[in-house]
Amino acid sequence: MDDLPDDAVSWSVNTEIAKVQRQNMYNAVIFAIAGFIAILICFKVLSFIGLDNWIGLLIITSVIAFLLWKELFRNIRKMTLLNLVAIGTGHPWHPSEVMENNSVFVSDGDSWYLIPPKVRISPQSGSGNESTVLKRNDMDGKIILRWQQPPDSITQGVVSLINQALSFRDAQERDLDSEDPIESAREREDLEFYPVERVWQETTQGSLAPEPGALLRKMRKHSSEIIKKDDE
């Protein structure tokens, strides 16, 4: 894979993404240990009940090894996909003080692609359901790139995290006095014709996750300018 774009870093600098990666590694280690212990226990049980012939042991070992390999393969896939995303050093998820480059980049394993402003990624099934086509906004959008991974829950979960990064990027770019599209969605759901009632989570004052980085500093700067103008 090509080197990261200029002024870009892996998005694992964000605590929430780093937590996902750590949990994924923990899962791989725990399942490896659990599989080994399960094989030993099965051997002991079979020996205790007098069924410790090599055919039974081979069957038990094969089943446990298959389940263990399947889970380890899932963890490897998730780590591979998580490593295909990068953010600029000015992105809200980056802890730096700069705000100039808030870009989000996604790789197909060979090259990096800059995701344009106000664009979200829509995962669609590729040929034979063995690959995932990442399209612009929806299923009818332009193809951005292709992942050689099936469009299952793992892929969709990573794409969901990417779209969160894109929404934070756009929020930082948007002027604080402009209309918030999230608030517009709340207003639409209050209309009589809106078909589905959605429950919005309550927010706790002072609690923001993922950490907003430059976005929060931008808001503070904006508030300071307002107070300064009032004083004048």
Side-chain angles (χ1 to χ4, degrees), residues 6-224:
D6 294 338
D7 198 29
V9 296
S10 173
W11 64 341
S12 58
V13 295
N14 172 258
T15 55
E16 296 300 315
I17 302 299
K19 187 185 300 182
V20 172
Q21 290 186 325
R22 285 196 302 270
Q23 186 61 52
N24 195 58
M25 289 187 288
Y26 293 157
N27 290 344
V29 173
I30 290 173
F31 272 98
I33 296 175
F36 178 73
I37 294 175
I39 291 175
L40 292 180
I41 293 176
C42 288
F43 282 3
K44 290 293 184 181
V45 171
L46 291 176
S47 177
F48 179 76
I49 62 178
L51 297 176
D52 55 339
N53 59 80
W54 68 271
I55 296 179
L57 297 179
L58 179 61
I59 293 175
I60 293 294
T61 303
S62 299
V63 171
I64 295 177
F66 172 76
L67 296 175
L68 179 61
W69 173 85
K70 186 176 180 180
E71 185 60 32
L72 289 175
F73 182 71
R74 283 173 55 85
N75 290 323
I76 292 172
R77 282 195 53 228
K78 184 180 290 185
M79 288 300 297
T80 300
L81 291 175
L82 288 171
N83 289 330
L84 295 178
V85 187
I87 58 176
T89 54
H91 189 277
W93 283 3
H94 194 282
S96 70
E97 296 293 332
V98 299
M99 298 175 60
E100 287 74 17
N101 180 12
N102 60 2
S103 304
V104 176
F105 302 90
V106 180
S107 174
D108 60 2
D110 295 320
S111 303
W112 290 94
Y113 297 84
L114 173 66
I115 307 302
K118 300 181 181 179
V119 168
R120 299 294 181 268
I121 291 179
S122 175
Q124 307 294 329
S125 298
S127 57
N129 208 35
E130 294 298 323
S131 63
T132 301
V133 177
L134 302 184
K135 293 188 175 182
R136 182 178 179 130
N137 293 326
D138 54 41
M139 62 182 301
D140 297 323
K142 181 181 178 181
I143 295 178
I144 300 175
L145 57 95
R146 184 186 301 268
W147 276 347
Q148 298 304 320
Q149 302 282 351
D152 56 8
S153 59
I154 296 177
T155 300
Q156 293 175 2
V158 174
V159 170
S160 177
L161 290 172
I162 295 173
N163 284 329
Q164 288 184 39
L166 292 171
S167 65
F168 271 82
R169 175 205 63 183
D170 292 341
Q172 179 168 298
E173 281 294 310
R174 189 172 59 250
D175 189 88
L176 292 174
D177 296 328
S178 63
E179 183 179 7
D180 188 340
I182 295 179
E183 293 302 325
S184 299
R186 295 177 190 265
E187 293 176 2
R188 286 196 302 272
E189 292 185 359
D190 290 335
L191 299 177
E192 293 182 359
F193 64 81
Y194 197 82
V196 178
E197 181 179 354
R198 188 184 301 275
V199 178
W200 295 92
Q201 293 184 348
E202 296 294 331
T203 57
T204 303
Q205 185 176 2
S207 175
L208 289 172
E211 296 177 3
L215 180 59
L216 180 59
R217 291 191 291 275
K218 179 180 178 181
M219 296 172 64
R220 289 173 176 169
K221 180 180 178 182
H222 182 77
S223 300
S224 300

